[in-house]
Amino acid sequence: MTRPSRALIDLSALRHNYKLARSMHGGRALAVLKANAYGHGAVACAKALTDDADGFAVAFVAEAIELRTQGISNPILVLEGCFDQQDLDAAIAHDLWIVVHQDSQLTAIENTQTRPGALNVWLKVDSGMHRAGFEPDLVKAVYARLKACPGVGQITFMSHFACADEPDNKMTQNQIEVFDIATAGLPGDRSLANSGGILAWPKAHRDWARPGILLYGADPMPNRNHGLKAVMTLQSQVFAIRTLMPGQSLGYAATFTAEKSTRVGLVAIGYADGYPRTAPTGTPIAVDGQLTRTIGRISMDMLTIDLTDLPQAGIGSSVECWGPLVDINDVAQKAGTISYEPLCNLKRVPKIYI
């Protein structure tokens, strides 16, 4: 018998979200497919977007090569850049765009001979996040060194926001200003807007956007309606029923104790599948299209839900862990994390593309 847990990946919703992001931004957009497309399957998502996307972005070279070997010919930007000479050689061989954010990467390019204009370089400016990128006062000198390399063709300027999903945080405006000053007078495209930047910061809309989490329908600002559609629906089934009497506890560590007669459904999914173990009693979940809650601690292979007010539900009832009815942001918030983590942690569950 096949275990009933599965993840439905709605590729039409993915395309909808990409087109919405591109329309809102007004420029070109790289669909971010790092971390296996945030758990959705990078190859399948790339193939679904290949006719629409101006390009893709991944974290490291190996992720890009996987797409190339599967026939993806769109531009692919490597966000972390090259870690060593072997990476740089592979990037050249597979016609990848690369981010340069530190001196060792710049030096490697200077010491590499390749055909003229072979490298499309994105020069990353540290505008205030202080994680990766050249200091603003070094940008003009770095640009000059890149221009002196025969193998470097186009140079695009980029930076990354620390707080773009907080519309009232002044840090993003400060980062925009720092970036503009650092790159003033230098020719080349600009890229600032991640998902939050696309949705909340029109001043960050430049030549290229980099939509990530929003592609998958998880709004980085959950309390706002931006018209995104959930791409993943994580499903399972109720496979056992029992009733707790008042005073009886449930599951590991006995974290839930019934205050009244409670009808419990056992669901075939758990933290080994990627459902967050830290999700407490009260985390939203849907059964046969109706909302209810989890109760007790999440186990490795199963979780328990409250069916007391759903008398029609029984063995075989469909369960939505997250998707159109259950916002992944609500599940993540209850679990003390962000939507990125449970999506990226999806495993063992088969993906079915629709």
Side-chain angles (χ1 to χ4, degrees):
M1 180 179 178
T2 303
R3 189 165 180 254
S5 302
R6 60 183 184 169
L8 301 181
I9 310 296
D10 186 346
L11 297 175
S12 65
L14 179 74
R15 288 188 288 268
H16 165 86
N17 294 338
Y18 175 83
K19 291 176 182 178
L20 181 64
R22 199 180 188 283
S23 173
M24 293 181 70
H25 181 263
R28 290 161 289 175
L30 297 178
V32 181
L33 302 179
K34 63 182 180 176
N36 198 27
Y38 295 53
H40 293 69
V43 172
C45 289
K47 289 182 176 180
L49 290 173
T50 189
D51 291 336
D52 298 312
D54 301 302
F56 300 114
V58 297
F60 49 89
V61 169
E63 288 186 327
I65 292 175
E66 179 187 15
L67 297 179
R68 284 283 187 255
T69 57
Q70 293 296 316
I72 302 301
S73 59
N74 305 59
I76 304 175
L77 177 66
V78 181
L79 293 168
E80 291 182 344
C82 298
F83 295 120
D84 52 29
Q85 187 64 45
Q86 184 178 5
D87 260 8
L88 181 55
D89 293 342
I92 295 169
H94 290 278
D95 192 24
L96 306 179
W97 298 358
I98 57 173
V99 170
V100 172
H101 58 78
Q102 60 178 328
D103 193 69
S104 63
Q105 295 172 329
L106 175 57
T107 301
I109 291 174
E110 290 175 323
N111 295 332
T112 298
Q113 293 185 352
T114 185
R115 67 187 187 278
L119 277 172
N120 187 316
V121 173
W122 287 45
L123 194 168
K124 189 168 188 176
V125 181
D126 179 7
S127 60
M129 189 171 180
H130 302 317
R131 187 181 64 176
F134 290 98
E135 292 294 325
D137 59 357
L138 298 177
V139 170
K140 287 182 172 60
V142 172
Y143 174 81
R145 289 172 65 183
L146 286 170
K147 288 296 290 182
C149 298
V152 173
Q154 294 183 358
I155 300 174
T156 299
F157 298 94
M158 70 175 296
S159 193
H160 194 55
F161 292 139
C163 304
D165 55 353
E166 301 173 19
D168 298 324
N169 194 315
K170 294 181 180 179
M171 184 174 183
T172 301
Q173 181 59 42
N174 292 338
Q175 286 192 253
I176 294 171
E177 293 171 1
V178 168
F179 176 84
D180 285 342
I181 292 171
T183 61
L186 298 176
D189 286 348
R190 269 66 169 162
S191 177
L192 282 174
N194 56 0
S195 291
I198 293 167
L199 298 175
W201 295 94
K203 290 182 180 180
H205 294 180
R206 304 299 169 86
D207 303 285
W208 289 91
R210 307 186 307 274
I213 192 65
L214 75 76
L215 283 179
Y216 309 101
D219 198 316
M221 286 158 283
N223 296 325
R224 302 185 178 212
N225 181 13
H226 293 111
L228 302 175
K229 294 182 180 181
V231 175
M232 180 190 294
T233 302
L234 183 60
Q235 290 184 338
S236 190
Q237 285 183 6
V238 175
F239 72 95
I241 300 285
R242 69 180 311 123
T243 299
L244 293 181
M245 302 309 295
Q248 288 186 323
S249 297
L250 175 67
Y252 288 118
T255 60
F256 174 82
T257 300
E259 296 179 354
K260 61 180 182 180
S261 177
T262 302
R263 191 165 176 260
V264 178
L266 193 59
V267 181
I269 202 161
Y271 64 76
D273 303 294
Y275 194 91
R277 180 180 179 274
T278 51
T281 291
T283 300
I285 199 163
V287 180
D288 292 336
Q290 294 186 311
L291 290 175
T292 183
R293 60 173 183 157
T294 65
I295 51 177
R297 181 159 289 176
I298 307 302
S299 302
M300 180 182 289
D301 308 302
M302 59 190 79
L303 56 81
T304 42
I305 59 176
D306 189 349
L307 298 180
T308 306
D309 296 327
L310 300 177
Q312 80 288 352
I315 293 174
S317 285
S318 176
V319 175
E320 180 184 303
C321 300
W322 59 68
L325 294 175
V326 181
D327 191 334
I328 180 65
N329 286 299
D330 293 338
V331 176
Q333 183 180 37
K334 283 285 190 179
T337 186
I338 56 177
S339 60
Y340 302 68
E341 188 173 31
L343 291 174
C344 290
N345 284 346
L346 188 75
K347 51 189 179 295
R348 198 171 69 168
V349 176
K351 299 181 183 71
I352 299 173
Y353 295 94
I354 59 175

